[in-house]
Amino acid sequence: ASALPDRRVAGRGAAGLRLTPADPGSTTVRSVDLWLEPRTGLALRVEVVARGQERPSLTTTLLDLDLSPPPARRTAFQPPPEASVAGVEAPDVASMIDQFAPYALPDVLAGLPRRERLGGLTGGVATYGDGFTSMVLLPLPRDIGRRVLRGLDPGDTDDRAAVTTPLVTAGVVRIPNRGGWFLLAGTVPRPLLDTALAAVLADPPARLR
């Protein structure tokens, strides 16, 4: 981490901070620049620069900011007189997806350990790596997987395809004879993504149901 010159963002003076990877060769990220509201640490502007690039590949900024509590009239729920109101308990969608996930995703992929997920969730989706070196493994429905594969590789001769952008690499792999489809994407170099795709193809995640 290193300091950047302060700048004015959303009408406020913001403190600048640059984050750079400890191992630049392990990620597509060159740097992440942040301008922070000094009192709260809230990021008012973020610029992500890809490796080998000079201009940000991703920029997000606040145009206006008010940190005072909103008046009650803005947040109060006031249904119209003719409306009927009923209370229900919303399901935990993330837990449901995790509970019915059809695959046991690996603990290590292409040498990257699986991250522990919040709330004790273990299936469905897995994220691997640490810091700027990270990628996600996501099972896909058959129709979506087929469309993605055909879009990336219309010829499809090896059951996998990938695409490279300055900041993100992504790929899809089809498991022959089993009908499984998996998407991999992250801020990792293309060789590491290819290794991960080959690993999923060579040793597919076991189906749980």
Side-chain angles (χ1 to χ4, degrees):
S2 58
L4 290 173
D6 296 352
R7 63 189 298 180
R8 196 159 184 83
V9 184
R12 294 171 178 262
L17 179 68
R18 170 167 291 173
L19 304 177
T20 54
D23 181 7
S26 67
T27 176
T28 57
V29 177
R30 169 184 165 182
S31 64
V32 178
D33 294 346
L34 306 99
W35 283 270
L36 312 171
E37 200 281 324
R39 182 172 61 86
T40 62
L42 175 67
L44 304 182
R45 182 177 177 87
V46 179
E47 296 179 356
V48 183
V49 181
R51 191 174 63 181
Q53 304 292 310
E54 296 296 330
R55 299 172 61 87
S57 297
L58 173 66
T59 300
T60 180
T61 187
L62 296 181
L63 301 178
D64 192 17
L65 178 67
D66 183 358
L67 293 174
S68 62
R73 58 182 174 79
R74 288 191 179 180
T75 59
F77 176 59
Q78 295 180 338
E82 67 275 11
S84 60
V85 180
V88 296
E89 184 176 346
D92 187 338
V93 177
S95 294
M96 292 174 61
I97 294 174
D98 191 73
Q99 179 181 357
F100 294 103
Y103 296 100
L105 302 181
D107 292 329
V108 178
L109 184 60
L112 300 180
R114 181 171 175 170
R115 292 184 185 177
E116 182 179 353
R117 296 175 61 193
L118 297 177
L121 302 179
T122 57
V125 178
T127 304
Y128 298 87
D130 186 32
F132 292 115
T133 306
S134 62
M135 60 182 172
V136 62
L137 175 63
L138 172 67
L140 293 177
R142 180 181 302 177
D143 57 337
I144 296 178
R146 184 180 294 111
R147 288 203 302 269
V148 173
L149 183 61
R150 289 177 178 174
L152 295 179
D153 183 11
D156 182 26
T157 58
D158 58 0
D159 297 310
R160 56 179 167 169
V163 61
T164 302
T165 72
L167 188 59
V168 176
T169 56
V172 64
V173 61
R174 176 173 65 90
I175 309 304
N177 305 322
R178 288 176 42 183
W181 299 80
F182 295 90
L183 175 70
L184 271 164
T187 53
V188 296
R190 178 61 182 269
L192 184 56
L193 179 81
D194 289 339
T195 299
L197 289 171
V200 173
L201 187 59
D203 187 15
R207 184 179 285 275
L208 299 175
R209 55 183 62 86

